[in-house]
Amino acid sequence: MFGLFRKKPPANPYVKQDDPQTFRVRVKTKVHGDLVEIRFTKSAHIGVGDDGNHLFRKPIVSAEHFDKGELAVHFDRGYNVTGVEADGVEFIPVSDWS
């Protein structure tokens, strides 16, 4: 009945959902290993991609060494994470956050 019992896809190991509107990721730059945390929301930061699904894309510059990179988080229409991409940075799994 209206998807009440539909199986929800498993959570992505790199993206943490703080509340129904807010997500967080942590990345490490490949050059110097600087840690950067990114917080983003559905209403302000996530846009619609060409295929109709949702997308968050962000250029990264670390504060300590000014290392550059870019990350992308892909969502389906129900805001379930379907994939992540990184260039110049590496995602840190949520299980490794301290």
Side-chain angles (χ1 to χ4, degrees), residues 63-85:
E64 191 173 341
H65 293 102
F66 301 109
D67 296 341
K68 295 181 182 178
E70 183 174 284
L71 65 89
V73 180
H74 299 273
F75 298 87
D76 63 11
R77 293 178 186 202
Y79 289 99
N80 299 308
V81 179
T82 59
V84 296
E85 297 174 22

Side-chain angles (χ1 to χ4, degrees), residues 1-35:
M1 197 170 128
F2 305 112
L4 284 175
F5 300 108
R6 189 177 326 161
K7 202 173 207 183
K8 190 170 182 172
N12 190 283
Y14 302 112
V15 181
K16 181 178 182 183
Q17 188 167 6
D18 291 336
D19 58 50
Q21 298 294 319
T22 309
F23 298 90
R24 278 192 298 153
V25 296
R26 287 187 184 172
V27 294
K28 178 173 62 171
T29 61
K30 289 185 178 178
V31 178
H32 290 103
D34 297 341
L35 297 177

